[in-house]
Amino acid sequence: MDHRPGTTSRRGFMRAGLAASVALPAAASMARGQGTPDPLITEVQDWARYSGDGVDATPYGLPIQFESDVIRRNVSWLTADTISSINFTPIHQLDGTITPAGCAFERHHSGAIELAKPDYRLMVNGLVDRELVFTYADLERFPRRQGVYFCECAANTGMEWAGAQLNGSQFTHGMIHNMEYVGVPLKTLLAEAGVKPEGRWIYVEGADASSNGRSIPLEKAMDDVMVAFKANGEALRKEHGYPARLVVPGWEGNLWVKWLRRIEVTAGPVESREETSKYTDTLANGVSRKWTWVMDAKSVVTAPSPQVGITHGPGPLVITGLAWSGRGTITRVDVSVDGGRNWTTARLAQPGVPMAMTRFYLDHLWDGEEMLLQSRAVDETGYVQPTKNALREIRGENSIYHNNGIQTWWIKKDGSAENVEVS
Amino acid sequence: MSKFRNAAALLIVLAAGSAAAETQTARDSAFAAGQPLGLGRAALPEEISAWNLDVSPDGTGLPDGSGDVMTGEGIYLEQCAACHGDFAEGLDNWPSLSGGEGTLDRDDPEKTIGSFWPHLSTVWDYVHRSMPFGNAQVLTADDTYAITAYLLYSNGLVEDDFVLSRDNFAEVRLPNADGFIEDDRAETEYPAFSTEPCMESCKDSVEITMHASVLDVTPGNEGDATGDAPVEAALD
């Protein structure tokens, strides 16, 4: 918690103000004042006198030092090593919908490899009329497409199946990023090779040692899958698949093969390691679902949340979060401050974008009492984000992947927050 | 051949420029029709065989070769045992490759090749392409047949004189071959979760039933402990 001098007295003042009147907004934004001039205003500051950096100081910049906590974090005990592992996007500190690539989560199975454009080759083989090899330069000559999509790891929130475990939306919901991609539709590349009638699936794999091979039905491949080489305006980051990755809108992140090197058209699924041993969802009776590709509608309140406590005391409070659905657009997000007893429909920052993150806000007047904060997403199919208990009733606790259950944050009177589960 | 003819046609269209409206239309429709643009080049047989390594459940993709359990044990002890244990039981946090039979419907199922994997093809394919971890693609086809035979033995599925080859590969059936169903959420979940939700007075009371702070395993908290992690199996 924040213990800077002055905080307590300011909060005390504001509490008094709240009791006296609801005309709080003016008081809440006040720093010093009430007779004591603010030296940040009355004294000339260095930045108002001396020059700042020249335009040649930073050819490619990083965030200002004061934002040094807005970073990826990993959880060391989750995996045996950091090479085949995961880290987490600091969604608790971000706003809007676009994830800065520099802090967008990573998930590798044999590390983030360095693959230069001149060394890049993409092969299309199998049940095609012409088995082909493309260079990176070839890729840039195909007609392009642009789209904003979320990439959510199938295991996002997976640590929470058996109960509340990690304390912060970064850790419970941060295996996700949302970027604006530019690339080539996969159907364009497949047309170049000419898919034979007996080709019903594609098998895609990366250039890294793990290969991450996955099977995808041809129908999806010919629909909206793209081979992307730009994200958020620039080349993909090394750790996100430079120079080319697959973008598979709405489907689990594992299918978004990075450092894509080969597309094979096949008659059937390969049933690779990543779609048998992994990315299959074991139900309570021991039977496992396979090919659970779509990521269902989901949301989370990113602030306030355990890493972002309320430090300003009662009064106006911005409750905000993210919602997304692999089955289309988010049409509505409801927010509850009482653990799901009552719901208020939040405000979407902009209309939902298909298979992309949507930002929601609920402008709330906090009375300083405890809250049990929840959000509940609704998508264009009419699907309503379920509770975790509703999911467990169907699946049990061992399915690891695809946990899109409603998250609860317990906001305490001091403004701190904790990951909890409620009845 | 047709690829080059199309490329030539495209070049002519492009050379004509966009001045003539009908040429513009022809060019647009060529793109819109998804006709080949003549980019890329033919993949050579050697290139395809170097990268096209995947093996399907029916054995499609397997190369010639064979290997027996005892040969596999030798290679395994040299290449694999440091992480996966002498008997494929797994060391520390590294994956177990054997054991766990009959645990899939328990609270913490132990999911190994023997207890969980549906197809032997996946074992061969994954070991051949992606193992050993940190030094992949060093195993020959015969090495991989032998290691696969040893993993079958470690899981109690074959005798110690078993020889695995392309010829008998499809005869091996793993115990959990029938343990998977295709995604059925459209039937089992979507109807139930697609009704208009409650907005007011939805519950009589709300109690907190679980706290993350009790576990206290979040980085940055005191006591960043090594904890039991349900998702560990997903991420190894």
Side-chain angles (χ1 to χ4, degrees):
Chain A
M1 291 303 300
D2 192 338
H3 289 296
R4 281 174 303 175
T7 304
T8 309
S9 61
R10 189 159 78 241
R11 187 178 298 155
F13 163 74
M14 286 166 51
R15 284 221 179 86
L18 185 69
S21 141
V22 290
L24 200 74
S29 62
M30 208 175 284
R32 304 255 177 167
Q34 297 296 309
T36 310
D38 184 346
L40 284 168
I41 297 170
T42 56
E43 297 173 12
V44 176
Q45 302 297 310
D46 286 353
W47 56 81
R49 174 172 294 150
Y50 308 119
S51 304
D53 292 339
V55 295
D56 57 348
T58 312
Y60 197 110
L62 288 170
I64 194 166
Q65 58 179 319
F66 314 119
E67 298 295 314
S68 61
D69 60 329
V70 187
I71 52 173
R72 300 164 178 147
R73 288 185 172 83
N74 84 311
V75 177
S76 58
W77 53 263
L78 273 180
T79 53
D81 70 294
T82 58
I83 303 299
S84 180
S85 194
I86 189 86
N87 62 26
F88 299 86
T89 303
I91 57 170
H92 62 297
Q93 296 276 31
L94 303 178
D95 209 328
T97 58
I98 295 295
T99 312
C103 65
F105 88 104
E106 305 167 69
R107 200 285 187 249
H108 318 301
H109 294 75
S110 52
I113 61 167
E114 187 172 281
L115 178 53
K117 287 177 181 173
D119 297 334
Y120 181 79
R121 299 288 184 273
L122 176 62
M123 181 182 290
V124 181
N125 73 300
L127 299 172
V128 292
D129 298 327
R130 299 167 292 277
E131 295 185 305
L132 296 173
V133 171
F134 300 109
T135 63
Y136 179 80
D138 291 334
L139 282 187
E140 288 201 336
R141 296 175 65 192
F142 284 97
R144 293 176 201 172
R145 192 167 80 75
Q146 172 188 339
V148 176
Y149 302 106
F150 72 82
C151 173
E152 182 184 17
C153 180
N156 199 22
T157 323
M159 296 82 80
E160 306 291 310
W161 269 114
Q165 179 159 255
L166 286 162
N167 221 7
S169 64
Q170 178 172 24
F171 301 108
T172 58
H173 290 75
M175 298 183 193
I176 193 166
H177 53 61
N178 192 68
M179 302 197 197
E180 183 199 80
Y181 293 98
V182 171
V184 178
L186 185 54
K187 67 182 173 191
T188 306
L189 295 179
L190 290 172
E192 199 68 21
V195 175
K196 290 180 173 173
E198 56 271 38
R200 305 305 309 158
W201 291 71
I202 62 165
Y203 179 72
V204 283
E205 67 177 9
D208 61 318
S210 82
S211 93
N212 197 52
R214 287 291 307 250
S215 305
I216 298 175
L218 192 65
E219 187 180 30
K220 177 70 173 178
M222 299 298 268
D223 181 14
D224 57 3
V225 178
M226 61 196 281
V227 176
F229 39 79
K230 295 287 167 75
N232 294 350
E234 63 182 356
L236 296 170
R237 295 294 172 97
K238 174 178 90 168
E239 61 272 30
H240 296 141
Y242 181 95
R245 82 173 304 164
L246 216 57
V247 167
V248 191
W251 288 23
E252 62 187 13
N254 180 256
L255 293 151
W256 294 47
V257 173
K258 296 183 286 189
W259 315 290
L260 179 73
R261 85 168 189 186
R262 194 170 68 93
I263 301 158
E264 179 181 4
V265 179
T266 57
V270 169
E271 303 244 19
S272 69
R273 188 252 197 183
E274 309 299 334
E275 57 204 22
T276 55
S277 172
K278 309 299 175 186
Y279 307 100
T280 52
D281 313 357
T282 301
L283 304 171
N285 64 2
V287 171
S288 302
R289 290 173 176 162
K290 64 178 180 180
W291 304 341
T292 47
W293 298 304
V294 173
M295 303 305 291
D296 288 328
K298 186 168 175 177
S299 68
V300 65
V301 171
T302 52
S305 63
Q307 296 159 287
V308 191
I310 304 170
T311 57
H312 54 55
L317 168 69
V318 174
I319 298 172
T320 186
L322 293 163
W324 59 95
S325 172
R327 297 173 65 212
T329 61
I330 291 293
T331 53
R332 190 175 107 203
V333 180
D334 300 327
V335 172
S336 173
V337 298
D338 59 8
R341 266 177 291 189
N342 298 285
W343 296 87
T344 304
T345 297
R347 173 168 58 88
L348 304 186
Q350 66 172 40
V353 174
M355 295 163 290
M357 278 185 172
T358 297
R359 169 66 56 179
F360 66 86
Y361 298 104
L362 181 70
D363 303 306
H364 184 66
L365 198 62
W366 185 42
D367 60 6
E369 294 301 314
E370 290 184 4
M371 294 189 285
L372 290 167
L373 266 186
Q374 299 183 336
S375 62
R376 181 176 70 188
V378 182
D379 73 18
E380 64 177 306
T381 72
Y383 177 97
V384 182
Q385 182 184 2
T387 64
K388 290 177 182 174
N389 285 333
L391 288 174
R392 289 178 188 127
E393 281 178 23
I394 295 170
R395 305 182 194 173
E397 295 183 0
N398 292 326
S399 55
I400 298 176
Y401 307 103
H402 294 281
N403 186 348
N404 65 320
I406 289 173
Q407 175 66 49
T408 308
W409 306 129
W410 177 32
I411 312 295
K412 302 168 197 177
K413 288 185 178 181
D414 66 1
S416 66
E418 187 189 354
N419 175 11
V420 297
E421 296 221 4
V422 296
S423 57
Chain B
M1 284 300 114
S2 62
K3 182 179 69 171
F4 296 110
R5 204 164 54 239
N6 281 319
L10 178 68
L11 284 174
I12 291 165
V13 171
L14 291 172
S18 57
E22 61 188 55
T23 305
Q24 177 73 48
T25 305
R27 189 182 64 185
D28 287 350
S29 64
F31 279 108
Q35 291 169 3
L37 301 176
L39 294 170
R41 61 158 175 89
L44 301 176
E46 298 89 337
E47 295 170 333
I48 295 169
S49 62
W51 277 10
N52 184 24
L53 301 173
D54 56 275
V55 180
S56 292
D58 65 0
T60 300
L62 280 172
D64 272 332
S66 68
D68 60 68
V69 170
M70 299 311 287
T71 304
E73 180 179 33
I75 301 167
Y76 178 92
L77 290 174
E78 190 178 303
Q79 299 275 7
C80 320
C83 294
H84 295 294
D86 287 358
F87 306 101
E89 76 279 16
L91 295 179
D92 300 328
N93 261 353
W94 298 102
S96 305
L97 307 179
S98 65
E101 293 84 359
T103 66
L104 296 181
D105 58 356
R106 296 185 193 167
D107 273 353
D108 291 303
E110 189 184 349
K111 300 201 277 189
T112 71
I113 292 168
S115 71
F116 187 63
W117 291 35
H119 308 296
L120 191 64
S121 56
T122 313
V123 179
W124 202 101
D125 172 283
Y126 183 69
V127 170
H128 185 234
R129 185 174 37 235
S130 298
M131 287 288 138
F133 188 65
N135 189 29
Q137 305 207 57
V138 295
L139 300 172
T140 66
D142 285 344
D143 291 344
T144 311
Y145 278 109
I147 289 173
T148 305
Y150 180 69
L151 290 173
L152 287 170
Y153 173 73
S154 300
N155 278 283
L157 299 173
V158 298
E159 300 299 321
D160 62 4
D161 60 352
F162 179 72
V163 182
L164 182 68
S165 69
R166 183 162 72 174
D167 295 334
N168 68 356
F169 198 92
E171 296 167 18
V172 180
R173 190 174 162 77
L174 294 184
N176 198 41
D178 295 326
F180 294 82
I181 56 171
E182 290 188 33
D183 184 2
D184 65 350
R185 283 176 290 177
E187 295 81 48
T188 58
E189 298 186 6
Y190 294 165
F193 298 155
S194 301
T195 58
E196 192 56 34
C198 175
M199 296 297 288
E200 286 181 27
S201 304
C202 302
K203 308 175 192 174
D204 291 335
S205 67
V206 175
E207 303 296 328
I208 293 176
T209 56
M210 197 172 299
H211 293 261
S213 62
V214 172
L215 282 166
D216 200 20
V217 291
T218 306
N221 289 5
E222 284 183 38
D224 179 7
T226 298
D228 178 45
V231 84
E232 183 184 299
L235 294 171
D236 60 29

